[in-house]
Amino acid sequence: MSDEPQPPAARPVFYVSDGTGITAETIGHSLLTQFSGFRFVTDRIPFVDTPDKARQAVEEIVRAGASHGVRPVVVNSCVDPELNRILAESGALMLDVFAPFIAPLEEELGAPRQSRVGQAHGMVDFEVYHRRINAMNFALTHDDGMAINYDEADVILVAVSRAGKTPTCVYLALHYGIRAANYPLTEEDLESDRLPPRLRAHRRKLYGLTIDAPRLHQIRQERRPNSRYAELETCRREVSAAETLLRMERVPMLSTTHASIEEIASRILEELGINRGMF
Amino acid sequence: MSDEPQPPAARPVFYVSDGTGITAETIGHSLLTQFSGFRFVTDRIPFVDTPDKARQAVEEIVRAGASHGVRPVVVNSCVDPELNRILAESGALMLDVFAPFIAPLEEELGAPRQSRVGQAHGMVDFEVYHRRINAMNFALTHDDGMAINYDEADVILVAVSRAGKTPTCVYLALHYGIRAANYPLTEEDLESDRLPPRLRAHRRKLYGLTIDAPRLHQIRQERRPNSRYAELETCRREVSAAETLLRMERVPMLSTTHASIEEIASRILEELGINRGMF
């Protein structure tokens, strides 16, 4: 027998929802990051929209509690009180993501909520769907400076290759319906101390991304190992030239080295003063 | 003077956060959909991580309340009590998205939370970032069946052109780090009653998307107006053949006609039994 102290049991956490469970998972994940000393095993149980499915969920939750030897946590966004009554039978710690806010909102607005299930991320109207898909097609066809219809762009991201332009463009399109194009600075561009002519007419839409050279080197190595393109020295030179150029031309700029895609997207919207509801 | 009843004033809603504000906006949006009779004007105030920024936020909130003539609502995910004290001075209805859940979690886990700001969607480690970016590159290079490395795919979406494959693949990559490829069923494929040979080896990864023919017609019309490709009759024939084929081959299938991208993604994960944490 070992005298080593046992690590604490991993705690099962379930994101339960009558819809996709995205709201429950988003807030649940944020809550768990505030208890960083613990181990959690997370799982989602979406589309719980009938008493039968709620009972199946309860079984799964109870089973997880028994196998981990610890009380599960349920982050729950079901709206129907009947479903919530059934889920409570699991004996888990129930965190109902809407309950605490409904009463104050009802009081403030002077009206009761309408309890339709799975609304937030569910069915959408055609126009909204279309705006989103069009923005995404725009991002995909305006990737890497190939197409040139910058007139229609809401944002043009400018950076050296592999600094994070593409994922940011796709994220902006997918979540905000923003037409985000990107322009990769070429070696030729970097020899100049002016913006490429094609970009000058769109100055207000420009946003620069930069990145630490060692990190860029690491990313490019994965893509084209041991190429001149990936060399640390190449990365250093390109990043330094790009930063100088963007600074001279007063293009707002953000380092992606330690930022998540969400953070980059959020800062771009903030800085360019774009207010769009999130999908 | 008009005797018409005035529509109620639009209510300003602010998503305030010490980070990106994604958590606040996600839950706030879900809450607002439950009060569908009201008009809301939403705005986000992210990266409120100093008392100065909190005071600027307060000014903005107070101004919006005055100009709309109605008390604003603030959905707030700031963690620092000092910032929250300042924000409360706005006089808005404050909905603190974490507050109701922290005490029960602390009690359950037997430890206080660590209050670091902006953690949930903030800095990420390199490996996680890389998995996400690689998945996205995979989705983009395996779009529309051009590349053929299905061995590495976690999921292969099978459908006729414009049924929703690409946005779903990108979403799966971006939010779950899933390598999602897609295979567009061609006219030739649809003449057969068997799956295309390239797909047969990957049966367990296949997921079919379908769509109502009139909706598909509408989407294709936008893309190639008045083409044979967009004709309602073409859409009817393709959809019907695709559904027959997928049903015969027992490939799970979902209609995208009334589903959001989130919902499609969520159902695919559920049905294929893939459990991945969300980015």
Side-chain angles (χ1 to χ4, degrees):
Chain A
M1 246 176 78
S2 160
D3 288 321
E4 295 282 315
Q6 294 297 306
R11 171 90 57 164
V13 177
F14 290 93
Y15 305 122
V16 179
S17 174
D18 48 30
T20 60
I22 289 171
T23 304
E25 186 163 358
T26 303
I27 187 161
H29 175 73
S30 294
L31 284 166
L32 299 186
T33 59
Q34 296 178 48
F35 293 90
S36 56
F38 294 84
R39 282 196 304 139
F40 300 102
V41 187
T42 63
D43 201 356
R44 62 181 76 85
I45 312 181
F47 308 114
V48 176
D49 49 10
T50 65
D52 261 3
K53 289 187 190 160
R55 278 186 283 268
Q56 284 168 31
V58 167
E59 277 176 33
E60 190 175 341
I61 295 161
V62 168
R63 218 162 35 230
S67 84
H68 285 86
V70 61
R71 187 185 185 202
V73 175
V74 170
V75 184
N76 172 32
S77 69
C78 289
V79 167
D80 182 342
E82 167 67 4
L83 299 179
N84 286 328
R85 200 194 48 70
I86 297 171
L87 291 168
E89 291 171 7
S90 67
L93 174 68
M94 297 291 290
L95 304 178
D96 182 327
V97 302
F98 295 137
F101 311 114
I102 291 297
L105 268 174
E106 286 181 336
E107 195 183 335
E108 182 69 33
L109 301 172
R113 74 157 162 198
Q114 296 99 37
S115 298
R116 280 178 287 154
V117 301
Q119 284 179 99
H121 301 281
M123 197 166 88
V124 289
D125 69 49
F126 189 67
E127 199 180 322
V128 170
Y129 177 83
H130 229 78
R131 183 155 66 85
R132 190 175 190 187
I133 298 305
N134 284 342
M136 181 123 111
N137 288 337
F138 185 89
L140 297 182
T141 54
H142 291 71
D143 190 32
D144 275 342
M146 291 179 304
I148 49 156
N149 198 350
Y150 288 148
D151 289 347
E152 285 181 15
D154 297 313
V155 179
I156 306 164
L157 299 186
V158 184
V160 302
S161 168
R162 294 288 115 186
K165 297 183 299 300
T166 301
T168 306
C169 283
V170 172
Y171 189 90
L172 285 168
L174 202 52
H175 286 286
Y176 300 99
I178 284 174
R179 289 166 175 264
N182 79 57
Y183 184 93
L185 291 166
T186 63
E187 299 229 2
E188 195 185 329
D189 295 331
L190 293 171
E191 280 161 16
S192 166
D193 56 358
R194 296 282 324 268
L195 280 170
R198 287 169 57 200
L199 294 182
R200 285 181 211 155
H202 304 285
R203 194 168 283 273
R204 283 157 162 221
K205 300 176 182 175
L206 302 183
Y207 197 96
L209 299 181
T210 188
I211 186 170
D212 288 354
R215 173 69 177 265
L216 182 61
H217 163 63
Q218 196 180 0
I219 295 171
R220 288 184 173 182
Q221 267 293 104
E222 281 235 356
R223 195 164 173 90
R224 288 196 223 150
N226 307 318
S227 61
R228 195 176 73 87
Y229 165 82
E231 267 172 26
L232 182 57
E233 189 44 43
T234 309
C235 295
R236 280 224 174 86
R237 200 179 56 240
E238 286 189 23
V239 167
S240 159
E243 287 185 358
T244 304
L245 174 63
L246 293 170
R247 217 174 279 127
M248 298 252 299
E249 293 272 16
R250 296 174 197 277
V251 174
M253 181 170 37
L254 175 73
S255 169
T256 65
T257 312
H258 298 293
S260 69
I261 300 172
E262 283 77 5
E263 195 173 341
I264 302 166
S266 204
R267 290 206 185 263
I268 291 170
L269 297 184
E270 181 71 357
E271 194 136 1
L272 296 184
I274 299 173
N275 180 26
R276 291 277 179 85
M278 209 179 160
F279 288 113
Chain B
M1 246 177 78
S2 161
D3 288 322
E4 295 283 314
Q6 294 297 307
R11 172 89 56 164
V13 178
F14 290 92
Y15 305 122
V16 179
S17 174
D18 48 29
T20 61
I22 288 171
T23 304
E25 187 163 357
T26 303
I27 186 160
H29 175 72
S30 293
L31 284 167
L32 298 187
T33 60
Q34 297 178 47
F35 292 89
S36 56
F38 293 84
R39 283 197 304 140
F40 300 101
V41 188
T42 64
D43 201 356
R44 62 182 76 84
I45 311 181
F47 308 114
V48 176
D49 49 10
T50 65
D52 261 2
K53 288 187 190 161
R55 277 185 284 269
Q56 283 169 32
V58 166
E59 276 176 35
E60 190 175 340
I61 295 160
V62 168
R63 219 164 33 231
S67 84
H68 286 86
V70 61
R71 188 186 185 201
V73 174
V74 170
V75 184
N76 172 33
S77 69
C78 288
V79 167
D80 182 341
E82 167 66 5
L83 298 178
N84 286 327
R85 201 193 48 70
I86 296 171
L87 291 168
E89 291 171 7
S90 67
L93 174 68
M94 298 291 290
L95 304 178
D96 182 328
V97 303
F98 295 135
F101 311 113
I102 292 297
L105 268 173
E106 287 181 336
E107 195 184 333
E108 182 70 33
L109 300 172
R113 73 156 161 197
Q114 297 100 35
S115 298
R116 279 179 288 154
V117 300
Q119 284 181 98
H121 301 280
M123 198 166 88
V124 289
D125 69 48
F126 190 66
E127 199 180 322
V128 171
Y129 177 82
H130 229 78
R131 183 155 64 86
R132 190 176 189 186
I133 297 305
N134 284 341
M136 181 124 108
N137 288 337
F138 184 89
L140 298 182
T141 54
H142 291 70
D143 190 32
D144 275 342
M146 291 180 302
I148 49 155
N149 198 352
Y150 288 147
D151 289 347
E152 286 181 15
D154 297 313
V155 178
I156 305 165
L157 298 187
V158 184
V160 301
S161 168
R162 294 288 114 186
K165 296 184 300 300
T166 301
T168 306
C169 283
V170 172
Y171 190 91
L172 285 168
L174 202 51
H175 286 286
Y176 300 98
I178 284 174
R179 290 167 175 263
N182 80 58
Y183 184 92
L185 291 166
T186 62
E187 300 229 1
E188 194 185 330
D189 295 330
L190 292 172
E191 279 161 17
S192 165
D193 56 358
R194 295 282 323 268
L195 280 171
R198 287 169 57 200
L199 294 182
R200 286 181 211 156
H202 304 286
R203 192 169 285 273
R204 284 160 162 217
K205 300 176 182 176
L206 302 184
Y207 197 96
L209 298 181
T210 187
I211 185 170
D212 288 354
R215 174 68 176 266
L216 182 61
H217 163 62
Q218 197 180 1
I219 294 171
R220 288 184 173 182
Q221 267 293 103
E222 281 236 355
R223 196 165 171 89
R224 287 196 222 150
N226 307 318
S227 61
R228 196 175 74 84
Y229 164 82
E231 266 172 28
L232 182 57
E233 190 44 43
T234 309
C235 295
R236 280 224 175 86
R237 199 179 55 241
E238 286 189 23
V239 167
S240 159
E243 287 185 358
T244 304
L245 174 62
L246 293 170
R247 217 173 280 126
M248 298 252 300
E249 293 271 17
R250 295 174 197 277
V251 174
M253 180 169 38
L254 174 72
S255 170
T256 65
T257 312
H258 297 292
S260 68
I261 299 171
E262 283 77 4
E263 195 173 341
I264 301 166
S266 204
R267 290 206 185 264
I268 291 170
L269 298 184
E270 181 70 358
E271 194 137 0
L272 297 183
I274 300 172
N275 180 27
R276 291 276 179 86
M278 208 179 160
F279 288 114

